[in-house]
Amino acid sequence: MNQQSLSVREAIIERRSIKKFNGQPVDREVLLQIVNDAVWAPNHQNREPWRLVVACGKEILELHKLLRDTAIPKWKELPEETLEKQMLKFTLPGAYAFVIVPEDVRQKQRLEDYAAASMFIQNIQLLAWDYGIGSCWKTPDFLDAPQFREALGVKSGERIISMLQIGYFDDIPRAAERKKSDEIVTFFGQNEENN
Ligand SMILES: Cc1cc2nc3c(=O)[nH]c(=O)nc-3n(C[C@H](O)[C@H](O)[C@H](O)COP(=O)(O)O)c2cc1C
């Protein structure tokens, strides 16, 4: 399965969101292994507030067709040639994973579940990176489109929070600078207003 076993620190620091994939297929068994490991994310009351709908291989063509025919009306107006190019780009990730969370009517639980699912997603991204597989969390508007939700079997009271594109890549994009700790940390009792 070609795992590299990066340290946690290496995985966190070196992982980048991959937006250009090279078309190499992603093995379903590897994906399932990643998910089996990612579920060890912290989550309140062990609610495990996540489920996934995954498209791999030929299913990605079906997914594109669904988006073209139902979920994204403006795609229908694109000239055939543009659609063809767009479809080729769309099929470059080896897999798509749609992450679905319950939307608890209580705000506290809803926020906890979103937070836990976000950690689950980062686990997926870090574990995938360890296999040399890139990913990007995307939030296109069609995730909330009724036809799309219906096609994925999303029930009322659930929400698709992420379209994860997953796949192999040739180049690692450069990271944007991050703020350093001295910009974001103040120690209790030492903030300027207190002095
Ligand atoms: C909640 C969330 C939503 C995101 N949505 C998008 C998106 O719609 N399109 C996109 O290109 N990237 C999206 N990203 C990826 C970010 O652009 C990316 O994480 C950021 O640029 C930092 O790059 P890095 O992940 O390589 O460190 C999203 C990330 C998060 C956490």
Side-chain angles (χ1 to χ4, degrees):
M1 279 193 185
N2 204 17
Q3 214 170 351
Q4 301 167 38
S5 288
L6 299 168
S7 71
V8 174
R9 181 171 185 268
E10 284 169 331
I12 290 173
I13 293 174
E14 293 171 12
R15 179 211 58 82
R16 295 276 66 79
S17 289
I18 296 299
K19 302 185 187 191
K20 278 191 189 151
F21 297 89
N22 66 13
Q24 194 183 327
V26 173
D27 191 299
R28 276 172 208 266
E29 290 307 313
V30 174
L31 266 181
L32 295 177
Q33 184 60 52
I34 288 171
V35 172
N36 276 329
D37 294 342
V39 294
W40 291 98
N43 63 98
H44 199 189
Q45 295 178 322
N46 294 317
R47 291 199 289 269
E48 299 189 55
W50 46 64
R51 65 186 188 92
L52 296 170
V53 174
V54 173
C56 265
K58 286 201 186 97
E59 294 149 11
I60 296 175
L61 282 175
E62 293 297 313
L63 179 64
H64 184 269
K65 192 169 169 337
L66 167 79
L67 290 168
R68 187 189 60 196
D69 295 345
T70 60
I72 310 181
K74 66 177 184 229
W75 282 16
K76 275 196 189 142
E77 290 152 29
L78 293 174
E80 198 53 41
E81 202 180 313
T82 316
L83 250 182
E84 190 75 16
K85 276 194 197 141
Q86 184 215 44
M87 188 188 72
L88 287 175
K89 188 169 173 223
F90 191 86
T91 52
L92 284 177
Y96 282 73
F98 296 90
V99 183
I100 300 165
V101 298
E103 283 217 293
D104 201 299
V105 289
R106 297 162 297 180
Q107 189 192 45
K108 177 177 183 284
Q109 282 76 359
R110 193 166 66 247
L111 291 175
E112 284 174 352
D113 287 349
Y114 184 80
S118 299
M119 288 192 266
F120 167 65
I121 292 171
Q122 193 184 17
N123 279 355
I124 292 178
Q125 296 194 280
L126 295 174
L127 290 158
W129 193 255
D130 196 37
Y131 282 101
I133 297 171
S135 63
C136 189
W137 177 335
K138 293 207 163 163
T139 47
D141 289 343
F142 65 73
L143 297 186
D144 292 320
Q147 303 95 319
F148 187 69
R149 287 171 51 91
E150 195 184 323
L152 258 58
V154 178
K155 301 180 209 96
S156 77
E158 289 186 320
R159 180 142 194 244
I160 311 169
I161 63 160
S162 172
M163 175 176 87
L164 266 182
Q165 293 181 315
I166 299 169
Y168 292 93
F169 54 93
D170 297 323
D171 301 309
I172 301 177
R174 264 172 43 147
E177 277 292 309
R178 298 302 211 253
K179 290 177 187 161
K180 297 277 182 277
S181 58
D182 58 2
E183 293 175 78
I184 57 170
V185 176
T186 45
F187 285 99
F188 180 70
Q190 296 185 356
N191 48 322
E192 277 170 25
E193 281 166 28
N194 272 4
N195 290 335

